[in-house]
Short mmCIF file of all heavy atoms in Angstrom, two decimals:
data_model
loop_
_atom_site.label_atom_id
_atom_site.label_comp_id
_atom_site.label_asym_id
_atom_site.label_seq_id
_atom_site.Cartn_x
_atom_site.Cartn_y
_atom_site.Cartn_z
N PHE A 48 -32.32 230.54 -7.69
CA PHE A 48 -33.57 231.08 -7.17
C PHE A 48 -34.17 232.04 -8.21
O PHE A 48 -33.49 232.98 -8.67
CB PHE A 48 -33.27 231.82 -5.85
CG PHE A 48 -34.50 232.23 -5.09
CD1 PHE A 48 -35.43 231.28 -4.69
CD2 PHE A 48 -34.71 233.56 -4.75
CE1 PHE A 48 -36.56 231.65 -3.97
CE2 PHE A 48 -35.83 233.95 -4.03
CZ PHE A 48 -36.75 232.99 -3.64
N PRO A 49 -35.46 231.83 -8.59
CA PRO A 49 -36.03 232.61 -9.70
C PRO A 49 -35.89 234.14 -9.56
O PRO A 49 -35.61 234.83 -10.54
CB PRO A 49 -37.51 232.21 -9.68
CG PRO A 49 -37.53 230.86 -9.03
CD PRO A 49 -36.39 230.82 -8.07
N TYR A 95 -28.72 224.09 -1.66
CA TYR A 95 -30.03 223.47 -1.46
C TYR A 95 -30.85 223.44 -2.75
O TYR A 95 -31.46 222.42 -3.08
CB TYR A 95 -30.79 224.22 -0.37
CG TYR A 95 -32.24 223.77 -0.25
CD1 TYR A 95 -32.55 222.51 0.26
CD2 TYR A 95 -33.28 224.62 -0.65
CE1 TYR A 95 -33.87 222.10 0.36
CE2 TYR A 95 -34.59 224.21 -0.55
CZ TYR A 95 -34.89 222.95 -0.05
OH TYR A 95 -36.19 222.54 0.03
N LEU A 96 -30.85 224.54 -3.49
CA LEU A 96 -31.70 224.61 -4.68
C LEU A 96 -31.15 223.79 -5.84
O LEU A 96 -31.82 223.62 -6.86
CB LEU A 96 -31.92 226.07 -5.10
CG LEU A 96 -32.66 226.93 -4.06
CD1 LEU A 96 -32.76 228.39 -4.54
CD2 LEU A 96 -34.05 226.39 -3.75
N ASP A 119 -38.22 237.73 8.90
CA ASP A 119 -39.22 237.43 7.87
C ASP A 119 -39.72 238.70 7.21
O ASP A 119 -39.81 239.76 7.84
CB ASP A 119 -40.43 236.74 8.52
CG ASP A 119 -40.16 235.27 8.75
OD1 ASP A 119 -39.22 234.74 8.13
OD2 ASP A 119 -40.89 234.67 9.56
N GLN A 120 -40.14 238.52 5.97
CA GLN A 120 -40.69 239.61 5.18
C GLN A 120 -41.87 240.28 5.92
O GLN A 120 -41.97 241.51 5.95
CB GLN A 120 -41.18 239.02 3.86
CG GLN A 120 -41.33 240.01 2.76
CD GLN A 120 -41.81 239.32 1.47
OE1 GLN A 120 -42.02 238.10 1.42
NE2 GLN A 120 -41.97 240.10 0.44
N ALA A 121 -42.74 239.46 6.52
CA ALA A 121 -43.94 240.00 7.17
C ALA A 121 -43.54 240.89 8.36
O ALA A 121 -44.12 241.97 8.55
CB ALA A 121 -44.85 238.86 7.64
N PRO A 133 -37.33 237.61 -0.83
CA PRO A 133 -38.30 237.19 0.19
C PRO A 133 -37.86 235.93 0.95
O PRO A 133 -38.69 235.06 1.22
CB PRO A 133 -39.56 236.93 -0.63
CG PRO A 133 -39.04 236.47 -1.95
CD PRO A 133 -37.73 237.19 -2.17
N ILE A 134 -36.57 235.83 1.27
CA ILE A 134 -36.08 234.64 1.98
C ILE A 134 -35.40 235.06 3.27
O ILE A 134 -34.50 235.92 3.27
CB ILE A 134 -35.10 233.84 1.09
CG1 ILE A 134 -35.83 233.28 -0.15
CG2 ILE A 134 -34.44 232.71 1.87
CD1 ILE A 134 -36.95 232.29 0.13
N SER A 135 -35.85 234.44 4.36
CA SER A 135 -35.31 234.77 5.69
C SER A 135 -34.64 233.54 6.28
O SER A 135 -34.69 232.44 5.70
CB SER A 135 -36.46 235.20 6.59
OG SER A 135 -37.30 234.07 6.81
N ALA A 137 -35.70 231.89 8.74
CA ALA A 137 -36.73 230.89 9.02
C ALA A 137 -37.03 230.06 7.77
O ALA A 137 -37.26 228.85 7.85
CB ALA A 137 -38.01 231.56 9.53
N ASN A 138 -36.99 230.70 6.59
CA ASN A 138 -37.15 229.94 5.35
C ASN A 138 -36.03 228.92 5.20
O ASN A 138 -36.27 227.76 4.84
CB ASN A 138 -37.11 230.86 4.12
CG ASN A 138 -38.40 231.65 3.92
OD1 ASN A 138 -38.40 232.87 4.03
ND2 ASN A 138 -39.49 230.97 3.63
N GLU A 139 -34.80 229.36 5.50
CA GLU A 139 -33.66 228.45 5.35
C GLU A 139 -33.79 227.29 6.34
O GLU A 139 -33.42 226.16 6.03
CB GLU A 139 -32.35 229.21 5.55
CG GLU A 139 -32.10 230.24 4.44
CD GLU A 139 -30.77 230.97 4.56
OE1 GLU A 139 -29.87 230.49 5.28
OE2 GLU A 139 -30.62 232.04 3.92
N SER A 141 -36.60 226.04 7.35
CA SER A 141 -37.61 225.09 6.87
C SER A 141 -37.06 224.31 5.67
O SER A 141 -37.43 223.15 5.48
CB SER A 141 -38.95 225.78 6.59
OG SER A 141 -38.89 226.52 5.42
N TRP A 142 -36.13 224.89 4.91
CA TRP A 142 -35.46 224.10 3.86
C TRP A 142 -34.64 222.97 4.50
O TRP A 142 -34.57 221.86 3.97
CB TRP A 142 -34.54 225.00 3.02
CG TRP A 142 -35.27 225.97 2.14
CD1 TRP A 142 -36.61 225.98 1.87
CD2 TRP A 142 -34.70 227.05 1.38
NE1 TRP A 142 -36.91 227.01 1.00
CE2 TRP A 142 -35.75 227.68 0.68
CE3 TRP A 142 -33.41 227.54 1.24
CZ2 TRP A 142 -35.56 228.78 -0.15
CZ3 TRP A 142 -33.22 228.64 0.40
CH2 TRP A 142 -34.28 229.26 -0.29
N ASN A 145 -36.84 220.24 5.24
CA ASN A 145 -37.13 219.49 4.01
C ASN A 145 -36.05 218.45 3.73
O ASN A 145 -36.35 217.32 3.32
CB ASN A 145 -37.24 220.42 2.79
CG ASN A 145 -38.41 221.37 2.87
OD1 ASN A 145 -39.30 221.18 3.72
ND2 ASN A 145 -38.43 222.38 2.02
C1 NAG B 2 -40.70 231.85 3.26
O1 NAG B 2 -41.42 231.98 4.45
C2 NAG B 2 -42.67 232.64 4.30
C3 NAG B 2 -43.25 232.84 5.69
O2 NAG B 2 -43.36 231.61 6.36
C4 NAG B 2 -43.56 231.82 3.40
O3 NAG B 2 -44.79 232.48 3.20
C5 NAG B 2 -42.87 231.64 2.05
O4 NAG B 2 -43.63 230.78 1.23
C6 NAG B 2 -41.47 231.03 2.24
N1 NAG B 2 -40.80 231.00 0.96
C7 NAG B 2 -40.16 229.92 0.49
C8 NAG B 2 -39.57 230.05 -0.88
O5 NAG B 2 -40.05 228.88 1.11
#
Side-chain angles (χ1 to χ4, degrees):
F48 190 58
Y95 171 70
L96 297 177
D119 280 342
Q120 201 179 0
I134 295 298
S135 67
N138 284 114
E139 294 183 17
S141 75
W142 290 349
N145 294 347

